């Protein structure tokens, strides 16, 4: 009897859906509430594994249940009568223990995490305890006793959640209003009353995030290559993670000349551009990345004018590396190009290197200098590093104030995860990494969506407008400006500059404040383009949601942001027209080999109008893609092999379902009806002759 009722219900539903197809513009709009402000966990692959999340090809569906207590967790995993469940969870339950229990259960169809600070733990890092451990400098052949974080566990709070493989979809819910819609649907239809199970109709959710790639990068790239060779309509299954490094130098370098640059000795100052988290493109990376970006930009602002008026003998090369969170993609590509004589300099041009790591959480105002104990066994390297340490220490005392600025040596331990390690793999050059930690990271939210402005202690007095926040000198901005001054003066001396010019090298806290403003709507740290140089409409970037997550599908705004800020800090305004600016090689007075040219809209006047102009600057982009993909070594152990799976549809929606049978069939029937509706609409002129 029950089966007969169910069959009749299905027949009625089909009839109703096809009838609705004729009467309304969209069946989906009548049945579903679409959730737009969602972010998926997607699938990534390397030489040996696949990680991340995905749904089935037709999406995964389950009855909604809000996880608020341990009792709810037991209901989901064992006693609830309506599995599989779509679990809505607060931040407090988004941890490795809960997620692994769900991963090992067949009663979970998917997970949606409410992004908020409510119930946030004292620490949360979904990364590993030893970041990039297989692609750094330490190995069996180099500092074997320091490999695999044997000397220091840099991220002891790492739970490895980002490196797990989930067979169900996991989404983040960003919009508070849509979160309330979910809660109301759950409370009205699914909430237990006096411990008893709710009855149909029930509120259900469907998540779509099917990934095309499977197994590992080797498998995915092989299948893609086969399709490219033999298929008429090849389908790419995955793409290498890629973007661009951004670089400039105090003296222009000829971009058309590759290999060793004659009579050039270069001091490299570097930091990373990217970060990551469990969810796609949700990587504020305030302490992990932004503190370094802002510090190096402020360093350039302080240093560049002096290097033009009193040039030091050595060139200073500033580089922002992309893809460092994924086994040093950007730095390994630059080193690879240097070794292959396919870059503007080679490794023999490199005198030394200073890298800015995580510097935004200086507990007690301490800053640490990290060096490589293995390369320092070479006497000449040790001497050069000692001199570099001495210069930094000298300036830290000169900058000291109350509370005192402390710069300390980190002795007898390996380098922290850093781009410098990839340079050391090629050649034992002198170098230091500056960081706010001696041993393990100070950052309690490393590579998570909670490493935001609040984590970096970017705070403002109450009542300030967004414009007032831009010019307010926060304690965080003052601290980063202080580090930038220290770095700028040290670089100038390291490049052979004269001490008499050092007092003219000071970073401006207001510039730092401009670049570390808090977006009060999203509560994420954003890099705000509020300097005098504005982007033209054709190059305008949405920087209020700047992401530092490296992706295969597009260039993150932060790359373009840094490129244009560098042009602003180091460029010269010219009188070229727009046409001349876009084609400078046609002019004998301009040199496209030495400079890039940027047509910008200019600062806004009082009446809101802008006067565009052309800027000439020695700012360049260079590819940040792993050499493994150029060498076709998809299983490489020397280079990053990270790829990102492709997908066709990422979406989420909720609906009411009348029975377990309809829970399974209803989405498919609606999809069928939508297809029929589109076909009918496309052929109305044939079916209905006027």
């Amino acid at each position: 009897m029950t089966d007969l009722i169910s069959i009749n219900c299905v027949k009625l539903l089909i009839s109703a859906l096809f009838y609705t197809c004729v009467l309304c513009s969209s069946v989906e709009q009548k049945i579903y509430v679409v959730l737009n402000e969602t972010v998926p966990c997607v699938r990534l692959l390397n030489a040996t594994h696949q990680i991340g999340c995905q749904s089935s090809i037709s999406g995964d569906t389950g009855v909604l249940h809000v996880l608020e207590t341990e009792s709810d967790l037991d209901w989901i995993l064992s006693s609830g009568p309506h599995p599989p469940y779509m679990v809505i969870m607060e931040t407090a339950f988004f941890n490795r223990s809960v997620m692994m229990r769900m991963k090992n259960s067949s009663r979970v169809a998917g997970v949606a995490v409410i992004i908020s600070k409510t119930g946030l733990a004292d620490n949360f890092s979904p990364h590993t305890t030893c970041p990039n451990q297989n692609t750094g400098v330490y190995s069996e052949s180099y500092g074997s006793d320091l490999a695999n974080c044997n000397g220091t566990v840099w991220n002891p709070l790492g739970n490895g959640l980002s490196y797990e493989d989930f067979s169900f979809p996991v989404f983040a819910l960003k919009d508070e209003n849509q979160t309330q819609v979910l809660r109301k649907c759950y409370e009205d239809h699914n909430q237990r009353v006096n411990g008893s199970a709710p009855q149909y109709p029930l509120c259900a959710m469907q998540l779509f995030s099917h990934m095309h790639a499977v197994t590992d990068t080797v498998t995915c790239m092989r299948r893609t290559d086969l399709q490219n060779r033999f298929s008429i309509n090849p389908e790419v299954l995955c793409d290498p993670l890629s973007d661009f490094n951004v670089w400039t130098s105090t003296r222009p370098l000829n971009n058309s000349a590759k290999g060793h640059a004659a009579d050039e000795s270069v001091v490299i100052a570097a930091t990373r551009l990217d970060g990551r988290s469990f969810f796609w493109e949700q990587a504020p990376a305030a302490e992990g990345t932004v503190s370094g970006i802002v510090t190096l930009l402020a360093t350039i602002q302080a240093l560049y004018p002096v290097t033009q008026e009193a040039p030091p003998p050595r060139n200073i090369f500033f580089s922002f590396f992309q893809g460092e969170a994924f086994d040093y993609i950007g730095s390994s590509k630059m080193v690879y190009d240097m070794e292959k004589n396919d870059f503007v300099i080679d490794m023999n041009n490199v005198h030394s290197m200073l890298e800015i790591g995580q510097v935004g959480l200086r507990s007690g105002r301490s800053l640490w200098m990290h060096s490589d104990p293995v390369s320092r066994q070479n006497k000449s390297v040790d001497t050069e590093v000692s001199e570099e340490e001495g210069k930094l220490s000298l300036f830290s005392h000169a900058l000291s104030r109350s509370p005192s600025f402390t710069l300390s040596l980190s002795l007898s331990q390996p380098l922290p995860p850093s781009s410098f390690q990839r340079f050391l793999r090629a050649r034992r050059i002198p170098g230091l990494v500056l960081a706010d930690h001696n041993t393990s990271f100070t950052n309690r939210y490393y590579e998570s969506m909670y490493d935001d402005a609040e984590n970096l202690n970017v705070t403002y007095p109450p009542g300030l407008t967004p414009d007032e926040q831009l010019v307010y000198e926060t304690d965080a901005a003052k601290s980063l400006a202080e580090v930038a001054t220290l770095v700028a003066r040290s670089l100038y001396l390291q490049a052979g500059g004269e001490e008499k010019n050092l007092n003219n090298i000071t970073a401006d806290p207001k510039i730092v404040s401009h670049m570390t403003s808090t977006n009060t709507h999203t509560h994420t740290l954003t890099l705000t383009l509020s300097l005098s140089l504005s982007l033209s409409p054709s190059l305008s970037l949405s920087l209020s949601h700047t992401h530092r997550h490296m992706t295969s599908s597009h260039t993150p705004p932060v790359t373009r942001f840094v490129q244009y800020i560098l042009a602003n800090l180091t460029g010269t305004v010219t009188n070229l027209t727009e046409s001349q600016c876009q084609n400078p090689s046609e002019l004998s007075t301009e040199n496209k080999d030495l400079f890039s040219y940027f047509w910008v809209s200019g600062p806004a006047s009082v009446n809101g109008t802008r006067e565009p102009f052309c800027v000439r600057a020695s700012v360049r982009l260079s590819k940040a893609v792993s050499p493994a993909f150029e060498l076709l070594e998809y299983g490489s152990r020397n280079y990053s092999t990270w790829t990102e799976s492709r997908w066709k549809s990422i979406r989420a929606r909720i609906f009411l379902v009348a029975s377990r049978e309809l829970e399974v069939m209803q989405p498919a029937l609606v999809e069928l009806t939508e297809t029929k509706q589109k076909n009918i609409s496309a052929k109305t002129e044939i079916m209905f002759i006027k």
Side-chain angles (χ1 to χ4, degrees):
M1 185 65 182
T2 303
D3 292 340
L4 182 60
I5 293 174
S6 298
I7 291 170
N8 290 333
C9 285
V10 172
K11 291 179 178 178
L12 287 172
L13 177 64
I14 294 173
S15 301
L17 288 175
F18 277 103
Y19 181 72
T20 306
C21 174
V22 179
L23 297 179
C24 74
S25 60
S26 173
V27 176
E28 185 175 16
Q29 293 176 6
K30 296 291 184 179
I31 297 176
Y32 296 102
V33 174
V34 178
L35 306 174
N36 295 316
E37 295 296 319
T38 60
V39 182
C41 157
V42 302
R43 174 169 288 169
L44 301 174
L45 309 97
N46 65 10
T48 57
H49 292 81
Q50 66 179 29
I51 63 172
C53 320
Q54 78 151 359
S55 74
S56 62
I57 193 168
S58 58
D60 288 336
T61 304
V63 172
L64 274 183
H65 197 90
V66 177
L67 175 55
E68 296 176 311
T69 66
E70 287 293 332
S71 174
D72 291 320
L73 187 58
D74 179 70
W75 181 269
I76 293 165
L77 298 179
S78 59
S79 59
H82 305 301
Y85 287 99
M86 277 289 176
V87 183
I88 311 298
M89 66 168 64
E90 293 280 4
T91 299
F93 284 92
F94 184 55
N95 56 57
R96 181 177 179 84
S97 174
V98 172
M99 289 299 294
M100 293 305 290
R101 290 177 66 182
M102 292 186 179
K103 176 182 177 178
N104 296 323
S105 172
S106 61
R107 293 169 57 88
V108 175
V111 173
V113 182
I114 299 171
I115 296 182
S116 74
K117 292 298 184 68
T118 303
L120 179 62
D122 290 337
N123 60 79
F124 179 76
S125 174
H127 209 280
T128 61
T129 58
C130 190
N132 292 357
Q133 70 181 87
N134 296 318
T135 48
V137 69
Y138 302 110
S139 64
E140 293 181 1
S141 59
Y142 188 99
S144 58
D145 56 325
L146 304 175
N148 300 313
C149 291
N150 287 335
T152 303
V153 178
W154 295 108
N155 187 37
L157 300 176
N159 59 41
L161 193 61
S162 291
Y163 290 82
E164 292 291 339
D165 180 38
F166 293 92
S167 60
F168 52 74
V170 182
F171 279 48
L173 304 174
K174 297 174 59 179
D175 186 83
E176 177 62 27
N177 292 329
Q178 291 192 345
T179 300
Q180 292 305 317
V181 170
L182 283 172
R183 286 189 176 279
K184 180 168 175 53
C185 191
Y186 168 75
E187 291 168 357
D188 289 348
H189 301 280
N190 296 17
Q191 196 164 33
R192 288 175 287 173
V193 179
N194 298 324
S196 60
Q199 300 298 313
Y200 286 102
L202 295 174
C203 187
M205 174 184 267
Q206 188 175 31
L207 300 178
F208 296 85
S209 63
H210 181 66
M211 301 288 133
H212 294 180
V214 296
T215 309
D216 52 40
T217 291
V218 177
T219 303
C220 179
M221 294 301 292
R222 184 182 70 244
R223 290 175 177 175
T224 297
D225 290 345
L226 286 172
Q227 290 216 40
N228 288 334
R229 291 179 188 178
F230 302 113
S231 176
I232 298 176
N233 297 306
E235 183 178 11
V236 177
L237 304 177
C238 62
D239 301 278
L241 293 185
S242 62
D243 189 41
F244 293 93
N245 298 323
V246 187
W247 62 268
T248 188
S249 54
T250 53
R251 284 197 302 271
L253 294 166
N254 190 334
N255 196 49
S256 63
K258 306 298 183 182
H260 186 74
D263 302 320
E264 281 285 4
S265 179
V266 171
V267 177
I268 296 178
T271 194
R272 59 186 272 185
L273 273 180
D274 66 304
R276 67 163 304 188
S277 78
F278 185 85
F279 295 103
W280 188 63
E281 288 199 334
Q282 293 300 298
E287 157 71 347
T289 300
V290 175
S291 64
I293 294 174
V294 171
T295 299
L296 189 53
L297 288 173
T299 296
I300 296 168
Q301 172 265 321
L303 181 59
Y304 194 82
V306 177
T307 62
Q308 305 310 295
E309 296 173 6
R314 296 188 184 96
N315 206 344
I316 305 176
F317 183 95
F318 303 98
S319 186
F320 298 79
F321 293 118
Q322 266 285 12
E324 299 305 273
F326 296 95
D327 293 329
Y328 306 120
I329 292 174
S331 56
S332 63
K333 173 60 174 172
M334 184 173 287
V335 171
Y336 174 81
D337 287 343
M338 287 183 182
E339 292 183 304
K340 298 298 181 182
N341 293 322
D342 197 24
F343 196 64
V344 295
I345 58 175
D346 65 10
M347 287 300 298
N348 291 323
N349 288 121
V350 179
H351 171 269
S352 55
M353 184 169 178
L354 177 60
E355 181 172 351
I356 303 172
Q358 301 181 79
V359 294
L361 296 175
R362 292 194 287 129
S363 176
R365 307 193 61 75
S366 295
L367 199 63
W368 295 86
M369 296 181 288
H370 297 265
S371 61
D372 172 41
V374 180
S375 61
R376 293 190 70 168
Q377 294 173 11
N378 179 294
K379 187 175 181 180
S380 62
V381 171
D382 183 63
T383 300
E384 193 66 49
V385 173
S386 296
E387 290 180 2
E388 194 172 355
E389 289 171 342
K391 292 164 188 173
L392 285 166
S393 297
L394 175 66
F395 298 133
S396 71
H397 293 308
L399 289 170
S400 65
R401 55 190 177 130
S402 183
S404 64
F405 186 111
T406 304
L407 185 65
S408 305
L409 297 175
S410 182
L411 302 172
S412 303
Q413 66 174 3
L415 286 166
S418 52
S419 306
F420 180 41
Q421 292 199 31
R422 291 302 302 195
F423 283 79
L424 282 175
R425 285 180 62 137
R427 183 166 168 259
R428 298 191 181 189
I429 60 174
L432 291 174
V433 177
L434 286 184
D436 55 21
H437 55 88
N438 177 22
T439 54
S440 58
F441 296 157
T442 306
N443 189 358
R444 296 174 294 119
Y445 300 104
Y446 180 71
E447 302 291 37
S448 83
M449 57 186 170
Y450 305 117
D451 182 13
D452 55 12
E454 186 176 333
N455 186 41
L456 200 57
N457 298 320
V458 179
T459 57
Y460 301 92
L464 291 186
T465 65
D467 288 340
E468 291 171 334
Q469 289 180 1
L470 288 177
V471 297
Y472 180 79
E473 295 182 17
T474 64
D475 289 339
K478 293 175 183 177
S479 174
L480 294 179
E482 197 172 54
V483 177
T485 300
L486 168 72
V487 172
R489 294 180 180 181
S490 301
L491 287 171
Y492 188 70
L493 279 192
Q494 186 73 359
E498 299 181 6
E499 288 189 31
K500 66 180 182 179
N501 297 312
L502 295 180
N503 288 335
N504 297 325
I505 302 175
T506 304
D508 186 352
K510 281 189 170 59
I511 296 293
V512 176
S513 293
H514 278 305
M515 294 186 291
T516 54
S517 66
T518 303
N519 184 313
T520 55
H521 298 293
T522 60
H523 300 287
T524 60
L525 192 73
T526 62
L527 298 173
T528 306
L529 190 60
S530 56
L531 305 180
S532 59
L533 185 65
S534 300
L535 300 177
S536 65
S538 62
L539 293 172
S540 180
L541 304 176
S542 177
L543 294 173
S544 62
H545 297 280
T546 297
H547 304 302
R548 277 149 293 280
H549 175 92
M550 196 182 202
T551 177
S552 60
S553 56
H554 63 273
T555 297
V558 67
T559 302
R560 294 295 183 187
F561 169 83
V562 169
Q563 181 189 19
Y564 277 84
I565 289 295
L566 284 177
N568 182 45
L569 296 175
T570 66
T572 302
V573 176
T574 70
N575 59 0
L576 300 181
T577 65
E578 182 176 2
S579 176
Q580 292 171 331
C581 192
Q582 294 172 351
N583 301 283
S585 56
E586 298 178 357
L587 302 174
S588 60
T589 56
E590 301 299 327
N591 192 331
K592 199 170 183 181
D593 291 333
L594 294 180
F595 301 102
S596 297
Y597 294 80
F598 304 87
W599 183 254
V600 298
S601 59
S605 62
V606 177
N607 60 8
T609 61
R610 296 177 182 271
E611 291 291 333
F613 53 85
C614 183
V615 172
R616 179 200 303 122
S618 58
V619 179
R620 300 286 184 179
L621 299 179
S622 63
K623 286 185 179 180
V625 61
S626 172
F629 298 100
E630 181 175 325
L631 297 168
L632 305 182
E633 296 177 358
Y634 305 137
S636 174
R637 297 176 65 89
N638 296 317
Y639 297 108
S640 171
T641 56
W642 286 106
T643 55
E644 181 180 79
S645 175
R646 287 201 178 186
W647 60 82
K648 285 185 178 178
S649 178
I650 298 289
R651 53 196 173 113
R653 58 190 185 183
I654 61 172
F655 59 98
L656 289 180
V657 62
S659 70
R660 170 60 186 160
E661 291 79 10
L662 293 182
E663 179 186 333
V664 176
M665 297 184 63
Q666 183 171 320
L669 291 171
V670 173
E671 292 288 343
L672 175 62
T673 306
E674 287 282 331
T675 303
K676 289 288 186 181
Q677 179 186 350
K678 291 176 183 177
N679 291 337
I680 292 172
S681 298
K683 298 178 180 179
T684 50
E685 292 186 1
I686 299 174
M687 297 173 65
F688 303 101
I689 302 174
K690 293 183 180 180

